[in-house]
Amino acid sequence: MNIIGLGKAGCKIAQSFEQYTQYTTYYIDTKNSYGEIKNFIKVKEQPKHEDYEKNYKPLKKLKEISGETTLILAGSGNISGVVLRILEQLREEKITVLYIKPDMSTVSEEAIVKEKIVFGILQQYARSNLIQRLYIVSNVRLEAVLGTVSIVDYWDNINKVVANTYHMLNVFENT
């Protein structure tokens, strides 16, 4: 199974899947700030959210991907504007989207608009069977489940819970 992290949040969660041998992990972002990773795919940084879709050039490395694929992203960042093009490029594969819903009380008005656009489009894709599944993970709910979390390890803990939970869903589904 393939895991594709899109943007900072998606890539950080994708890194948590590195511990499992069942996954081939890919990272798509404007710069590699994730250390030594094997399958990094650089996307040219764009000034606006919609420019990522307008100025998209097909990613050669995505042609290597075959089989079940999970795309992980949060919709509030600029790079989430490229998600439709990536899904279009992967349309022959079984695609699941793991969507990270941010705490809306902590993001800007602009990020709220981006999030609503991306989330709405992904819902339409799920309703139209253009993607196999859409899992929605709320950071607010996840934090409540975790209870007391150190500020120092906050995002690492959240990302590990997302990865471990999704991995166990796959284990149970394939058992």
Side-chain angles (χ1 to χ4, degrees), residues 151-170:
I151 292 175
V152 175
D153 299 329
Y154 180 82
W155 290 114
D156 284 339
N157 288 329
I158 296 256
N159 295 342
K160 285 178 185 170
V161 168
V162 171
N164 292 340
T165 303
Y166 187 71
H167 171 69
M168 289 311 297
L169 281 171
N170 286 331

Side-chain angles (χ1 to χ4, degrees), residues 30 44-46 48-54 56 78:
T30 56
K44 186 177 182 210
E45 191 166 359
Q46 302 293 323
K48 292 189 224 161
H49 185 252
E50 57 271 12
D51 290 341
Y52 279 93
E53 183 177 11
K54 261 192 264 177
Y56 182 77
N78 272 350

